Amino acid sequence: MNPELERALQACASEPIHLSGAIQPHGYLVSCRLPDWTITNVSANVEELTGAAPEAMLRRSLREFITDDVIQAIAETIGFSDPGAPAQRAAVANIGPSAKLCEVSVHAAEGLVHIEIEPHVHGAGDRSPTLVAQAMIARIAQGLDEAGFHERVAEQVRKLTGYDRVMVYRFRHDDSGEVVAESREPDMPSYLGLRYPASDIPPQARRLYLHSRIRVIPDARYRPVPILPDRNPGGGPLDLSQLSLRSVSPVHLEYLANMGVAASMSISIVAGGRLWGLIACHHRTPRPVPAGIRAAADLFGLFVSMRVAAREQQEAARLEEEARGVRDTLAQRLSAASDPRLALPAELELLQRAVPADGVVLLQSGHWHAAGRCPPPERMPDLLAWLRRAATPGAPVATDRCDDWSPGREAAGGVAGVLALPLDPARDEWLLFFRREQVEEVRWAGRPDQPMELGDDGQRLGPRRSFEAWTETVRGTSAPWSDADLRIASRLGLALREFHQRGGGQAEARELRGRRNPLDVRGHRERLLRLSELLDSLVHVDPDTASALAERIAQLEDELRQLITSGDAVAE
């Protein structure tokens, strides 16, 4: 990668966007310290609302500028919220000398109460957000497959908000994203099926989306309004993570402008504690979204998140149930085996059903036991070298790229993904699951290798300007290993290591017995030789004694032959 481009991407990924020190101009911010409601921070535009200059409001009580009934509503809302939780709608109230009707939202963080105030828009969002969300949910609640569900979600959000284009955007395992559903005006370009590189939404932005479910930019051409002061009472930067009004990164605003987007909104989809995706909304002209509409969208987004999480849990439960059946069957078979370790190679086809895979290999005592679609045995040294580099004690190790473990795609035998379970790493003994290579035709929204471009001055790097579909053929990768795959593999690994160690103990005992048996046999032979020497001294016995001795020797010979025959059968 171009060093200058790499530096620009690193700077973008490390930008402290939650510490912007400014808000968007469509609202006002007042931050207070309890219990006396002392004002610690205000937005520079607050005089438009209160008639008081920002400097005149600092260190004074909020009660001097807002009526007690509004403060009471704010206090009750804080009482029902956890510190650090997203802002909650507290009241619709008349504020300031002109009694401007406003929407008031509030949240608490770092010992401060942050009050966000926006002018109320009559006729927009006046219906109960709960009733609106319930009606939306009822239209998508039943009888839809995954694709149909996502499509209906996009349609419902566009109907609610009036945006020109609404997309369901899903994050992939590598943090790139893909538009999986879309509802748009006919003259808007379609982004359905396009993929976006991970750098388009850097890590710190994904973290904010995870904790702040609704994000609105009514006019992407705005000028930020500073917060005075931009520090908290302790002297540190003011954390604006949960502010709805927080000013966004200039790079993001430029990105939207390059897409022809003048207003945007996003609704987070969270499943299993991670950011699954976004409902992303775009408009070609500035478009405010009243607080009531945002509240309905937030409730609807919570339902969508629960449905997505439920689908994932159902699929994970199905895989877990199948894997449990495999583990139970395997346990029965290995428990019945005289040596579970030696019995394991015969169970590869059963093991292949435990984890969704195309092939499985058991590396044991330097031998390559395979079933299904696997790389050639010649790749064993490469795989072991990769495992020594990547493995952590007792845990599975996985990759979906053949370049990680194979000298080339052609040498990998048509497979790419590997999930390895340690059985006895000290002896290079592993159970490996393989997934075949997936050749994909990926349509990117612009070139993924050119996420940034030089600005008009030829010096500064900014976000790319073209989002035209760019097709790339991706080879050498497999379907990624999911969290459910890794959980199933970990449980299987624990069970196998127990049987493997039990078998290893039996093998060690047999090895000791094997080393001891030749010594024992030689000892018996020496005893027989001494007995033969003793017989030499009995040449003068009487006939009756000689006859009894002959019968006894014949009996011993028969018993000895039976022992030898029995020992040969066991050895076979």
Side-chain angles (χ1 to χ4, degrees):
M1 183 181 291
N2 181 302
E4 188 175 357
L5 174 60
E6 188 171 6
R7 283 194 297 273
L9 290 174
Q10 289 175 350
C12 184
S14 60
E15 181 184 4
I17 56 179
H18 63 300
L19 307 176
S20 64
I23 65 168
Q24 299 179 57
H26 63 279
Y28 313 93
L29 173 69
V30 179
S31 299
C32 304
R33 184 171 50 206
L34 297 180
D36 54 3
W37 298 95
T38 299
I39 297 173
T40 59
N41 308 83
V42 294
S43 56
N45 62 350
V46 74
E47 189 171 0
E48 300 172 4
L49 177 69
T50 65
E55 295 80 3
M57 293 182 65
L58 294 174
R59 294 175 296 281
R60 295 171 65 180
S61 173
L62 181 66
R63 297 184 185 278
E64 299 181 39
F65 305 96
I66 295 180
T67 58
D68 285 344
D69 60 327
V70 178
I71 291 179
Q72 180 63 29
I74 292 171
E76 290 175 355
T77 304
I78 294 171
F80 286 110
S81 302
D82 294 326
Q88 298 294 318
R89 196 181 186 202
V92 178
N94 298 106
I95 296 178
S98 59
K100 184 180 294 185
L101 189 63
C102 296
E103 300 273 359
V104 181
S105 300
V106 62
H107 76 280
E110 294 189 321
L112 296 178
V113 174
H114 299 289
I115 303 164
E116 299 177 75
I117 305 170
E118 301 175 51
H120 178 75
V121 180
H122 285 284
D126 287 340
R127 290 180 59 198
S128 164
T130 302
L131 294 178
V132 172
Q134 285 176 343
M136 296 171 67
I137 291 168
R139 298 186 190 108
I140 67 169
Q142 301 295 332
L144 293 171
D145 61 13
E146 186 175 23
F149 175 76
H150 294 154
E151 183 178 345
R152 193 69 61 83
V153 165
E155 292 171 354
Q156 289 299 305
V157 172
R158 191 158 84 89
K159 186 177 294 185
L160 171 70
T161 61
Y163 276 94
D164 289 332
R165 178 174 53 225
V166 175
M167 301 166 288
V168 177
Y169 180 91
R170 179 175 184 172
F171 288 104
R172 293 169 52 82
H173 66 286
D174 58 359
D175 292 332
S176 65
E178 184 176 8
V179 177
V180 297
E182 179 183 65
S183 177
R184 61 185 173 87
E185 290 290 332
D187 58 342
M188 287 285 285
S190 174
Y191 291 158
L192 182 62
L194 293 185
R195 197 174 293 181
Y196 294 75
S199 57
D200 277 17
I201 304 180
Q204 76 275 35
R206 292 194 293 272
R207 286 193 294 271
L208 288 179
Y209 282 125
L210 182 62
H211 298 293
S212 184
R213 297 188 300 262
I214 296 286
R215 193 82 186 99
V216 180
I217 305 175
D219 187 349
R221 297 166 295 190
Y222 74 87
R223 288 189 175 184
V225 176
I227 298 173
L228 305 174
D230 64 352
R231 298 275 157 173
N232 61 36
L238 193 63
D239 190 342
L240 308 179
S241 298
Q242 302 291 8
L243 253 66
S244 300
L245 293 172
R246 176 179 54 82
S247 184
V248 302
S249 167
V251 174
H252 182 61
L253 296 178
E254 189 175 351
Y255 181 92
L256 293 176
N258 291 349
M259 295 182 78
V261 173
S264 74
M265 182 175 82
S266 64
I267 306 168
S268 299
I269 303 175
V270 179
R274 77 183 196 286
L275 186 64
W276 182 94
L278 300 169
I279 304 171
C281 311
H282 290 165
H283 208 66
R284 288 167 289 188
T285 58
R287 185 172 187 81
V289 182
I293 297 294
R294 295 203 305 267
D298 189 19
L299 291 172
F300 182 69
L302 286 173
F303 170 78
V304 172
S305 293
M306 288 188 289
R307 275 289 296 270
V308 167
R311 286 182 186 272
E312 291 196 341
Q313 289 169 1
Q314 287 171 358
E315 177 61 14
R318 183 187 66 81
L319 294 175
E320 289 277 6
E321 186 63 28
E322 291 180 359
R324 188 179 299 111
V326 170
R327 290 198 302 271
D328 291 346
T329 302
L330 186 67
Q332 292 175 358
R333 294 181 182 179
L334 294 184
S335 296
S338 59
D339 186 343
R341 184 173 177 276
L342 296 182
L344 193 57
E347 304 298 342
L348 294 186
E349 291 185 1
L350 176 64
L351 285 166
Q352 192 176 342
R353 291 162 38 199
V355 179
D358 298 304
V360 60
V361 163
L362 174 66
L363 298 180
Q364 191 179 73
S365 301
H367 296 291
W368 175 280
H369 308 278
R373 183 71 175 270
C374 303
E378 292 77 16
R379 295 280 70 79
M380 183 164 63
D382 301 320
L383 284 162
L384 289 174
W386 168 67
L387 289 169
R388 292 178 190 121
R389 293 192 307 269
T392 55
V397 57
T399 179
D400 61 353
R401 298 172 54 86
C402 69
D403 288 346
D404 287 340
W405 57 270
S406 175
R409 185 174 56 82
E410 294 77 11
V415 300
V418 186
L419 192 161
L421 297 181
L423 300 179
D424 190 346
R427 298 183 181 182
D428 285 334
E429 298 195 347
W430 295 79
L431 183 65
L432 308 172
F433 294 91
F434 293 95
R435 285 181 176 171
R436 66 179 69 238
E437 176 190 27
Q438 286 186 338
V439 181
E440 287 188 284
E441 293 291 329
V442 179
R443 296 172 63 241
W444 293 94
R447 291 184 61 109
D449 57 343
Q450 296 177 0
M452 306 193 83
E453 298 178 8
L454 286 174
D456 293 332
D457 58 4
Q459 299 294 323
R460 188 183 63 85
L461 282 167
R464 66 186 182 280
R465 303 182 185 186
S466 173
F467 294 87
E468 291 291 328
W470 186 82
T471 303
E472 176 188 25
T473 301
V474 178
R475 304 186 68 102
T477 62
S478 72
W481 304 99
S482 67
D483 292 340
D485 294 331
L486 295 175
R487 286 195 301 271
I488 290 168
S490 294
R491 294 190 182 105
L492 178 63
L494 287 172
L496 287 176
R497 281 195 294 276
E498 180 182 348
F499 279 109
H500 203 262
Q501 291 165 3
R502 190 185 308 170
Q506 292 178 352
E508 288 174 4
R510 277 197 306 275
E511 185 178 355
L512 289 172
R513 287 197 300 270
R515 289 198 298 266
R516 188 174 63 240
N517 284 345
L519 296 176
D520 292 342
V521 169
R522 282 196 293 271
H524 299 323
R525 180 174 177 271
E526 290 173 358
R527 289 174 63 194
L528 289 173
L529 288 173
R530 285 197 296 271
L531 286 173
S532 69
E533 291 172 355
L534 181 60
L535 287 174
D536 287 341
S537 63
L538 298 177
V539 292
H540 299 295
V541 296
D542 59 60
D544 290 336
T545 303
S547 176
L549 186 59
E551 290 178 0
R552 182 61 177 161
I553 291 174
Q555 183 181 355
L556 289 172
E557 285 179 340
D558 289 339
E559 291 176 357
L560 189 59
R561 288 191 186 95
Q562 290 176 7
L563 285 172
I564 293 172
T565 303
S566 174
D568 289 343
V570 170
E572 291 173 1

